[in-house]
Amino acid sequence: MTGSYALPVRLEGAALGTVKAALLEHRGADLTLIGQDVQRLNGLGLQLLMAAFAAWRADGFRLCISEPSEALRDAFRRLNIIHEECEGTVS
């Protein structure tokens, strides 16, 4: 079973509790994170995403980001983090 979850505009502060809960609901299956709306994120937001990638990998499932916003791309680029983009969505 494959699911999808649209990340919020702000991946920081109070929004992180909601994102964490949504991720936990989808655990145990492949998941596509839709990142087009993310405009702001902080270190804790990135840490949550990295922990999710590690958890999905350890569980043997696929987690990827579809349509990452420029803010997401920039954050990953600045920290030299390689993330998995969903096939066919980003060049």
Side-chain angles (χ1 to χ4, degrees):
M1 183 166 113
T2 300
S4 64
Y5 175 71
L7 293 170
V9 171
R10 296 175 64 125
L11 197 52
E12 60 185 8
L16 295 180
T18 303
V19 174
K20 180 182 176 185
L23 290 171
L24 290 173
E25 287 179 22
H26 288 90
R27 192 154 180 195
D30 293 341
L31 179 63
T32 298
L33 298 176
I34 302 165
Q36 66 187 7
D37 293 334
V38 176
Q39 294 177 13
R40 293 183 53 143
L41 66 157
N42 64 11
L44 291 176
L46 283 171
Q47 185 177 358
L48 178 60
L49 290 179
M50 294 302 96
F53 277 108
W56 259 251
R57 190 171 30 256
D59 291 347
F61 293 100
R62 183 168 185 241
L63 178 65
C64 62
I65 297 178
S66 174
E67 304 172 43
S69 67
E70 193 57 39
L72 271 175
R73 288 176 189 255
D74 185 51
F76 285 122
R77 192 178 310 117
R78 280 184 288 135
L79 296 173
N80 200 29
I81 297 172
I82 298 171
H83 67 285
E84 185 171 354
E85 292 183 5
C86 300
E87 293 178 16
T89 59
V90 180
S91 59

